[in-house]
Amino acid sequence: MVLPIIVLGGCVFLPVTTTEYDAECDITKRHMVLKPHQVEAFVGCQDEGCAALLVLAGAVTATSVVISGSVAVIGEAVYWLEAKRQCRIR
């Protein structure tokens, strides 16, 4: 259980927009995905300091997943509706 916290502890997740061409509709579709970004390496921490740092880093990671995940889901829905509207016009 500690390993995922250590692996993800120094990360935040940010929504990123990607694009792909849809030949059937002749449009460029946008998609929103989450990408992890390393923020801080655990260098030079000792004993209780490391434990506190891991707990804080885990909380930051979890919070970024929830907030960025919500943004990505809403963004993906908007992009999907946009693609459906553009495809219908052509």
Side-chain angles (χ1 to χ4, degrees), residues 2-90:
V2 174
L3 185 59
I5 293 173
I6 292 172
V7 171
L8 294 176
C11 292
V12 294
F13 289 82
L14 301 174
V16 176
T17 300
T18 62
T19 59
E20 71 178 43
Y21 179 72
D22 182 351
E24 185 176 316
C25 289
D26 191 33
I27 62 171
T28 301
K29 289 183 177 181
R30 295 186 292 177
H31 296 281
M32 193 163 275
V33 296
L34 289 181
K35 298 279 183 175
H37 294 277
Q38 187 72 29
V39 175
E40 181 179 330
F42 297 105
V43 178
C45 66
Q46 298 174 3
D47 304 325
E48 295 86 27
C50 269
L53 184 60
L54 283 174
V55 169
L56 179 62
V60 168
T61 299
T63 302
S64 76
V65 167
V66 170
I67 293 171
S68 295
S70 299
V71 169
V73 167
I74 292 168
E76 186 66 16
V78 169
Y79 290 156
W80 180 80
L81 289 170
E82 179 182 67
K84 290 296 179 191
R85 185 182 61 81
Q86 289 177 350
C87 189
R88 215 181 304 166
I89 291 173
R90 295 182 188 269

